Structures are given as structure tokens and as C-alpha cells.
Amino acid sequence: MIAYDNDNIAKVEQAYMLKTECLFKLKKKEEATKNNLLLAKYYLDFAEGIFQNDIQGALRCVNYYQKGIKLYRDNGEPQKAEIAHKRLVEIQKEIPQIMVPFSIELDIKGVVDNIKINMEGLTFEEGLIRLTQMFVFEKQEDIKNRVIGEFKDHPLAHMFGKRCT
């Protein structure tokens, strides 16, 4: 299974884990440790193969690197874990360059024109009072609840900024 399904990570991962479990039950701890180290190497090799110029591959790559690092650390190979961790940091630095930016632009020209019309001919003090009457100021708790609610409903929308013109 491990040798023939190299491209199907779910099958290979499960095969390695079952083999490790069997080796532990047979009290072959040394062979089980070697098997876990082979799985860690497989994770890193697979991760390098899927780290391409798309964000899904890059994010999956990070996940497999983390699994491989944990296996290296748990099975007595801290130096390999450190090398893999350095590569993981490099990959994480490259991810923002892979992400495809998109933006939402809001046209607030009408709002600005409305403010200009309503402020025309007023003194500074009158203009300030009019301005405060034009906008509703929200309570901090209301803003907090709205932001948390929007994040729960649309978590991906908060990963990208908004720009007003």
C-alpha cells in the first residue's frame, strides 16, 4: 500500500499508521520508530510536491510539514525537525506572494457630496453639531458583537481588507 499508492496520501498515511500500530503490538518499538520517521519523510516529500503556485497546495503543504516535524521530534530526530522547521518558515513567508489579492471598492462620493451640501454656509460650531447629528455612533459593545457575528458568518471575508474611495 505504501509503495504503490504514493500519490494518495490518505491511504499511505493510514498504511504507515497501521504498520506502526502493528509493530508496537509486536513489541518492536525500534522498527515502529523507524516507520514513523519514514512517514515523516513521506510527509515532507509529499508537501514539497504540492507546494505550487496555488494557495490550497501551499496551505496543505504547511499542514504536512507540521505533521512531519512532530513525528521527527517525537521519534528522536530533533535535528531533522529543526531543518524541516526552517523550511516551513520559508514556505510560510512565500504564501502571501501566492495568494491572489482581490479588493472591494466602495464609492462614497454621494456621501461626501451630501455632507458638503448640508454643511454649506454654516459656522464651524454649527457644522460640527450638524456632522454629529448626521452620523450614528455605535456603542463599543454593539460594534464588538457585530464584528464577532460577521466573522462567524463569513470568516474568509475578514482575511482581506476593504478600501474606500
Side-chain angles (χ1 to χ4, degrees):
M1 190 72 101
I2 292 169
Y4 297 116
D5 285 322
N6 229 1
D7 292 338
N8 187 338
I9 192 160
K11 285 183 179 180
V12 174
E13 182 178 40
Q14 193 171 21
Y16 270 114
M17 289 181 177
L18 287 172
K19 185 176 178 181
T20 300
E21 189 176 325
C22 290
L23 290 169
F24 272 123
K25 286 185 179 186
L26 293 171
K27 298 188 190 311
K28 296 182 178 183
K29 186 180 178 193
E30 210 171 286
E31 289 180 41
T33 301
K34 287 179 185 176
N35 189 61
N36 281 338
L37 293 174
L38 288 173
L39 176 57
K41 183 180 179 336
Y42 173 76
Y43 278 143
L44 300 185
D45 292 342
F46 188 83
E48 285 296 329
I50 63 171
F51 181 65
Q52 302 161 352
N53 288 335
D54 72 331
I55 191 65
Q56 286 183 329
L59 294 176
R60 288 179 63 216
C61 174
V62 167
N63 182 41
Y64 292 127
Y65 255 91
Q66 290 170 340
K67 287 181 175 184
I69 290 168
K70 183 174 178 356
L71 281 171
Y72 277 137
R73 285 185 182 149
D74 292 348
N75 291 282
E77 290 287 346
Q79 65 278 11
K80 287 184 180 179
E82 187 176 331
I83 292 167
H85 187 265
K86 286 178 183 175
R87 176 65 181 133
L88 174 61
V89 170
E90 291 172 9
I91 290 169
Q92 289 174 328
K93 286 180 182 176
E94 292 177 38
I95 287 177
Q97 296 164 355
I98 295 171
M99 292 179 75
V100 178
F102 61 91
S103 62
I104 299 172
E105 294 188 21
L106 302 172
D107 185 13
I108 61 169
K109 189 176 187 287
V111 175
V112 172
D113 291 342
N114 189 20
I115 291 172
K116 285 180 183 176
I117 291 169
N118 284 312
M119 301 296 243
E120 200 171 311
L122 299 176
T123 65
F124 178 75
E125 290 82 11
E126 292 170 335
L128 193 58
I129 291 170
R130 174 77 50 92
L131 191 61
T132 59
Q133 292 172 343
M134 291 173 78
F135 296 101
V136 177
F137 295 101
E138 293 183 76
K139 295 178 183 172
Q140 184 178 0
E141 190 65 29
D142 294 340
I143 295 171
K144 176 183 170 186
N145 291 335
R146 180 173 43 84
V147 169
I148 291 171
E150 287 176 3
F151 179 75
K152 285 180 182 175
D153 294 340
H154 310 285
L156 287 178
H158 290 274
M159 295 177 75
F160 307 98
K162 295 179 185 174
R163 188 177 76 190
C164 297
T165 57

